[in-house]
């Protein structure tokens, strides 16, 4: 299958899965409104989706490193959608936690194998991996709109309709599965690993990803409520803030893949985190409609590193690309969910603004962790593709070509 077609299918499928990560946070205001949940109870729902995902992520990553399991793509997509679809049909808090946890397992199962397949399809291209990651960002961005349209129309009892993207995404994976079955051994299935694993650098990168995750999931959970307080607006103001947070991620992902062709990935990621510190401070402290501008800047700053961290992790662990991709793609949303109940508890005891203040420090910690990270050596089998991509980007932006 041509690279462009396979990446498009993988990107759209990624969107159909990650819409459910965004949907959990988007459902929080509706749970608060219909079921009178406290901040702590509402954030516990995000925790349920993230906790099992965090625990399961290393297992699925190790599984894909032992042998390819492409059938996980359609199965995990349906599982992720089913959990969210069932979350609104029962008033039981325990069942709601169970259903969103089921969705979290589906998401955990999807990311390591999809990252491995995307690496094979992208042949090491930053741009192709950027487009694959963009699919997840688009899914996040679409989540609050999808949830608002469906739930605002008929309430939480309409949540079964939310399974539709999962059904579409699972169908889109079928051509990928057929292409992998037909590909010669070593092209569509297993990769020949070269290079040594740099675990020390990978651990530091993973800690930076965790700090980024805390900011993003914390804002995903509470920015809708915070924006309503800061602007004095209603549900529309909160939904707009959440939409901007997710949509800005799509912009940041594409910008990051472009910048990586001009500077090395570590430099791009490091500078992005430094700029994000001020953007998060603006979200927390700036009142009125201007908060949406800072939400956009924060989102772009958090997502410029997104696809770059995936390829960095895979280059740090060239013999364990499933584990590397699973952690950097999965932990960006799952581990951050573990801190959401703490933010909610502080918000209940003080104020939501006070609870969000510690998030300002997290990008600074990520910057410190990246400050002395080395740029990893690119595996030889991928180096030609990345150089070809860089040359294409340079030529496309040259004055001769533009004329």
């Amino acid at each position: 299958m041509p690279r462009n077609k396979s990446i498009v299918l993988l990107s759209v499928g990624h969107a159909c899965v990650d819409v459910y990560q965004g949907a959990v946070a988007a459902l929080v205001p509706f749970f608060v409104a219909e079921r009178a949940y406290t901040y702590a109870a509402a954030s516990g729902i995000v925790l349920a989706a993230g906790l099992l995902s965090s625990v399961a992520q290393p297992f699925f990553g190790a599984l894909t490193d032992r042998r390819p399991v492409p059938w996980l793509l359609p199965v995990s997509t349906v599982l992720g959608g089913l959990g969210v679809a069932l979350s609104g049909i029962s008033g039981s808090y325990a069942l709601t936690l169970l259903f969103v946890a089921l969705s979290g397992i589906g998401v955990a199962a999807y990311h390591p194998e999809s990252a491995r397949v995307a690496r094979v399809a992208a042949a090491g291209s930053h741009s192709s991996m950027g487009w694959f990651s963009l699919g997840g960002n688009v899914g996040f961005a679409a989540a609050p709109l999808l949830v608002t349209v469906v739930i605002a129309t008929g309430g939480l009892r309409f949540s079964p309709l939310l399974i539709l993207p999962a059904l579409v995404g699972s169908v889109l994976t079928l051509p990928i599965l057929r292409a992998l079955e037909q590909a010669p051994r070593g092209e569509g299935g297993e990769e020949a690993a070269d290079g040594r694993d740099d675990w020390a650098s990978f651990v530091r990168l993973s800690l930076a990803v965790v700090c980024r995750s805390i900011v993003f999931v914390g804002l995903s959970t509470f920015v809708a409520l915070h924006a309503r307080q800061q602007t004095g607006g209603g549900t529309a103001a909160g939904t707009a803030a959440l939409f901007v947070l997710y949509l800005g991620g799509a912009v940041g992902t594409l910008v990051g893949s472009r910048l990586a062709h001009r500077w090395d990935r570590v430099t791009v990621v490091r500078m992005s985190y430094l700029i994000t510190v001020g953007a998060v401070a603006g979200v927390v402290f700036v009142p009125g409609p201007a908060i949406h501008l800072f939400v956009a800047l924060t989102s772009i700053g958090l997502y410029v590193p997104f696809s770059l961290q995936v390829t960095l992790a895979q280059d740090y662990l060239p013999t364990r690309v499933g584990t590397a991709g699973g952690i950097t793609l999965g932990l960006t949303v799952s581990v951050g969910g573990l801190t959401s109940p703490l933010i909610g508890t502080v918000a209940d005891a003080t104020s939501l603004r006070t609870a969000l203040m510690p998030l300002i420090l997290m990008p600074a910690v990520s910057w410190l962790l990246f400050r002395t990270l080395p740029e990893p050596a690119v595996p030889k089998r991928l180096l030609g593709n990345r150089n070809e991509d860089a040359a294409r980007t340079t030529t496309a932006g040259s004055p001769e070509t533009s004329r």
Side-chain angles (χ1 to χ4, degrees), residues 32-82:
V32 171
E34 279 196 36
R35 300 178 180 175
Y37 289 164
T38 63
Y39 286 135
S43 58
I45 294 173
V46 180
L47 170 64
L51 183 59
L52 280 180
S53 184
S54 298
V55 173
Q57 200 79 230
F59 168 77
F60 287 111
L63 178 65
T64 60
D65 285 331
R66 290 176 64 88
R67 57 172 298 175
V69 280
W71 57 263
L72 269 180
L73 299 184
V75 172
S76 59
T77 300
V78 172
L79 193 63
L82 183 64

Side-chain angles (χ1 to χ4, degrees), residues 184-200:
R185 181 175 179 82
E187 293 183 15
E190 300 179 17
E191 290 183 274
D194 54 53
R196 294 184 177 182
D197 293 335
D198 183 355
W199 282 100

Side-chain angles (χ1 to χ4, degrees), residues 369-382:
L369 289 166
F370 260 89
R371 194 170 65 87
T372 57
L373 268 182
E375 179 74 18
V378 179
K380 294 179 180 179
R381 68 185 184 281
L382 302 179

